[in-house]
């Protein structure tokens, strides 16, 4: 990312050739990201397999690199599944976890020998009826909804332990052509202790199904492995100090019309206080990836037994489906400055040739600072008389004609000003931010995706499908 942004001509070329915005990928960092996790397991004697969650980035470049490294892929829909199979990924290296699995998707996965994570009883019954018609046994895992309480939040994913055990007793797998290969869960949040607690419950379910004659060989702990976008804890804390003070009315707002990013001011008996919750990814956090997994595995699932030990004792492999944390460092979004102006009440805004869905997560904002690359040397607005050449703060707006359609909710400072034709780079967007909510409203085409290899940048095949 640094090398590309240090080369304004290369940024300008990419925008000229592929339009604005353009998603630029380099999957080089995937190897180290995944290795960190596998190594963390190895240090504690646990065999870890990584299945990269495809929903975090749709490119086929990601699929190819994952396959090349020998890791697996987690798919969430029929198209994701078929594209991965077409790309030559062995079925055993795929896992289907889709939150909703229409009959056709289930049939395709099972017929092609792709392991399926069953979420609920309706799905489990549908899967039994499909597999009983297949000539080979199908591999399934049960998605456990860990019991809430003791810190664990309620979840809509999976079924409780009792429900699964009753199901297995009433609908034996013998004759249904199924093999119960594992237990799966997927939690919201990043607390290592929660993951350890859920692992403990999954291990309990494994013990119970083994008593019933099944031979599961893995526990799949789903995704939600943390990463950190911002190295500097101080910068992160300063941001929150200033923002929270501003929400309480102390100091200039950092955000568009005082948007609290999930927080708001509430009048209490003893004066104003903050209410609500930060509706944001923790852009700075620790530990992440390998160190985080080590902490999860070192946690106790029973007095005197760590999660690692419980897995080892039962000869269970640990599968995981990280998305975001595997894509750390794998891509950025480039966009072109279209105009500079002021709102009718005098707020400076900079218009980009992109829309908000092209760098957007499901939370309130993207909290990594954009980087200005001065490619607009020949555009207007670089003359000495242009007052946008002076340092200033402005909000970035996009192409959808909605009043609150901002690219970022924060005011961005341009220390050397900003000109038409300049490039604004949004760093480290490959995990979710490019694709998870992108839309083609106004008939504006989706952003192009390019992948860097030794031969330079090439368009990713996903754009042609
Ligand atoms: C979303 C999801 C993932 C990936 O989560 P990350 O936060 O990107 O690691 C993995 N597995 C399942 C079942 C998911 O729903």
């Amino acid at each position: 990312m640094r090398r590309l942004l240090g080369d304004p001509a290369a940024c300008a070329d990419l925008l000229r050739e592929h339009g604005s915005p353009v998603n630029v990928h380099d999957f080089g960092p995937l190897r180290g990201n995944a290795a960190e996790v596998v190594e963390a397991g190895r240090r504690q004697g646990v065999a870890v397999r990584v299945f990269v969650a495809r929903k975090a980035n749709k490119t086929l470049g990601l699929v190819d690199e994952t396959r090349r490294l020998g890791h697996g892929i987690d798919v969430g829909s029929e198209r994701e599944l078929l594209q991965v199979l077409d790309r030559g990924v062995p079925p055993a290296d795929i896992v289907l976890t889709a939150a909703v699995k229409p009959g056709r998707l289930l049939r395709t996965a099972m017929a092609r020998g792709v392991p399926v994570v069953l979420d609920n009883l309706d799905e489990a019954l549908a899967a039994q009826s499909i597999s009983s018609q297949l000539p080979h046994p199908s591999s399934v895992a049960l998605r456990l909804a860990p019991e809430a309480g003791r810190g664990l939040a309620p979840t809509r994913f999976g079924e409780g332990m009792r429900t699964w055990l009753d199901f297995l007793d009433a609908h034996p797998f013998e004759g249904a052509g199924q093999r119960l290969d594992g237990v799966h869960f997927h939690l919201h949040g990043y607390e290592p202790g929660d993951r350890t607690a859920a692992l403990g419950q999954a291990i309990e379910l494994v013990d119970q199904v083994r008593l019933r004659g099944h031979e599961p060989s893995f526990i799949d702990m789903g995704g939600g492995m943390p990463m950190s976008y911002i190295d500097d804890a101080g910068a992160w804390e300063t941001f929150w100090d200033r923002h929270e003070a501003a929400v309480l009315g102390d100091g200039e707002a950092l955000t568009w019309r005082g948007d609290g990013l999930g927080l708001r001011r509430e009048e209490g008996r003893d004066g104003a206080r903050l209410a609500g919750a930060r509706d944001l990814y923790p852009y700075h956090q620790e530990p992440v990836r390998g160190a985080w997994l080590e902490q999860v595995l070192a946690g106790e699932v029973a007095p005197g037994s760590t999660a690692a030990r419980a897995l080892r004792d039962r000869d269970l492999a640990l599968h995981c489906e990280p998305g975001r944390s595997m894509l750390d460092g794998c891509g950025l979004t480039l966009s072109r400055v279209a105009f500079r102006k002021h709102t009718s009440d005098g707020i400076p805004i900079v218009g980009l040739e992109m829309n908000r869905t092209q760098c957007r997560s499901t939370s309130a904002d993207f909290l990594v600072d954009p980087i200005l690359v001065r490619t607009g040397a020949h555009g207007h607005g670089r003359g000495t008389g242009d007052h946008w050449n002076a340092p200033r703060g402005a909000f970035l707006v996009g192409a959808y004609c909605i009043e609150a359609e901002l690219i970022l909710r924060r005011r961005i400072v341009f220390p050397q000003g900003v000109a038409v034709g300049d490039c604004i780079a949004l760093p480290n967007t490959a995990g979710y931010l490019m694709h998870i909510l992108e839309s083609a409203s106004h008939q504006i085409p989706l952003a192009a995706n390019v992948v860097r290899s030794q031969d330079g940048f090439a368009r990713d095949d996903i754009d042609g499908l």
Side-chain angles (χ1 to χ4, degrees):
M1 290 191 278
R2 286 210 179 90
R3 210 172 323 141
L4 175 61
L5 298 181
D7 185 351
C11 295
D13 283 350
L14 282 166
L15 284 166
R16 200 167 26 245
E17 191 172 341
H18 303 288
S20 174
V22 55
N23 296 320
V24 186
H25 299 82
D26 179 336
F27 293 106
L30 177 62
R31 171 194 290 273
N33 292 343
E36 235 185 79
V37 173
V38 175
E39 279 302 316
R42 187 169 301 152
R43 276 196 292 275
Q44 304 202 37
V46 176
V48 172
R49 279 221 68 193
V50 172
F51 292 76
V52 179
R54 212 189 143 196
K55 69 166 190 261
N57 184 291
K58 71 182 181 184
T59 58
L60 294 170
L62 172 63
V63 174
D64 294 344
E65 185 62 14
T66 302
R67 187 186 57 139
R68 222 177 52 75
L69 294 168
H71 297 299
I73 301 186
D74 159 35
V75 296
S77 74
E78 190 176 4
R79 291 186 72 192
E80 281 190 2
L81 170 64
L82 291 174
Q83 288 163 4
V84 166
L85 286 167
D86 281 352
R87 222 63 188 181
V89 178
D93 289 349
I94 305 173
V95 59
L96 173 70
T97 62
V100 173
K101 304 180 189 70
R104 210 171 72 174
L105 171 58
L106 259 185
R107 245 187 318 276
T108 306
M110 297 181 123
R112 303 282 294 265
V114 171
V116 172
V117 171
L118 301 173
D119 176 79
N120 56 71
L121 302 189
D122 289 331
E123 210 167 86
L125 283 171
Q128 284 210 337
S129 107
I130 292 167
S131 58
S132 64
Q133 296 154 26
L134 292 174
H136 52 81
S138 358
S139 167
V140 299
L142 305 180
R143 178 179 272 180
L144 172 68
E147 206 178 309
R150 285 171 293 170
L152 280 181
T155 174
R156 74 179 176 95
F157 296 113
E159 297 278 11
M161 185 162 344
R162 192 68 254 158
T163 307
W164 279 127
L165 293 175
D166 289 347
F167 175 83
L168 293 178
D169 292 340
H171 304 272
F173 274 27
E174 297 83 59
Q178 284 187 330
R179 221 175 45 230
L180 177 44
D181 282 341
V183 168
H184 175 280
F185 62 87
H186 178 67
L187 295 182
H188 193 70
Y190 302 98
E191 200 45 59
D194 290 359
R195 242 29 98 84
T196 308
L199 268 179
Q201 294 190 32
I203 287 166
E204 217 176 305
L205 180 54
V206 163
D207 289 347
Q208 290 294 326
V209 305
R210 282 184 170 172
L211 288 175
R212 287 162 171 81
H214 298 280
E215 295 170 343
S217 59
F218 67 84
I219 289 179
D220 183 332
M221 65 187 296
M225 188 171 287
M227 67 169 271
S228 193
Y229 288 86
I230 300 169
D231 292 337
D232 183 357
W236 179 237
E237 279 153 25
T238 303
F239 166 74
W240 281 107
D241 287 348
R242 298 264 182 85
H243 176 63
E244 290 180 356
V247 171
L248 286 171
D250 175 14
E252 196 187 358
L254 305 181
T255 53
W256 178 250
R257 303 203 183 281
D259 186 327
L261 307 176
L263 300 174
R264 58 180 192 280
R265 177 191 160 109
E266 215 168 70
E267 302 305 329
R269 205 172 298 159
D270 317 314
R273 57 185 172 84
L274 283 173
R278 297 174 178 180
D279 175 21
L280 287 155
Y281 187 81
Y283 279 83
H284 170 82
Q285 59 183 332
E286 255 186 86
V288 299
R289 277 191 295 272
W292 175 86
L293 183 61
E294 278 207 81
Q295 209 164 309
V296 171
L297 288 173
E300 285 196 342
V301 293
S305 175
T306 64
R309 164 130 192 237
L311 291 166
R312 280 197 313 266
D313 285 351
R314 290 164 179 80
D315 204 14
L316 285 168
L318 181 64
H319 292 187
C320 58
E321 296 149 4
R324 188 190 294 267
S325 59
M326 294 300 103
L327 288 154
D328 189 4
C330 290
L332 78 176
T333 302
L334 302 180
S335 176
R336 198 187 289 120
V337 173
F339 62 76
R340 301 90 32 96
K341 63 176 282 192
H342 291 81
T343 62
S344 62
D345 57 344
I347 303 170
I349 54 179
V350 170
L352 298 185
E353 293 180 26
M354 70 179 284
N355 67 68
R356 171 149 93 117
T357 72
Q358 292 171 322
C359 174
R360 196 179 167 197
S361 75
T362 51
S363 65
D365 206 8
F366 174 59
L367 286 191
V368 183
D369 285 344
I371 296 167
L372 180 70
V373 184
R374 306 231 62 184
T375 48
H378 306 296
H380 54 278
R382 291 301 291 270
T384 43
D386 186 294
H387 63 104
W388 283 86
N389 271 332
R392 65 172 52 246
F395 289 92
L396 303 179
V397 299
Y400 288 174
C401 52
I402 297 159
E403 190 60 58
E405 162 72 16
L406 270 77
I407 305 299
L408 303 176
R409 316 293 297 169
R410 284 174 306 139
R411 189 178 56 253
I412 302 303
V413 174
F414 295 91
Q416 316 137 36
V418 55
V420 170
D422 277 349
C423 167
I424 287 186
L426 299 153
N428 215 359
T429 50
Y432 293 109
L433 293 148
M434 296 170 174
H435 298 143
I436 193 82
L437 290 175
E438 67 174 344
S439 70
S441 273
H442 301 22
Q443 306 284 328
I444 299 172
L446 299 180
N449 292 282
V450 300
V451 180
R452 181 178 166 274
S453 68
Q454 277 145 341
D455 311 324
F457 293 101
R459 194 76 182 258
D460 189 86
D461 288 344
I462 194 70
D463 290 350
L465 294 181

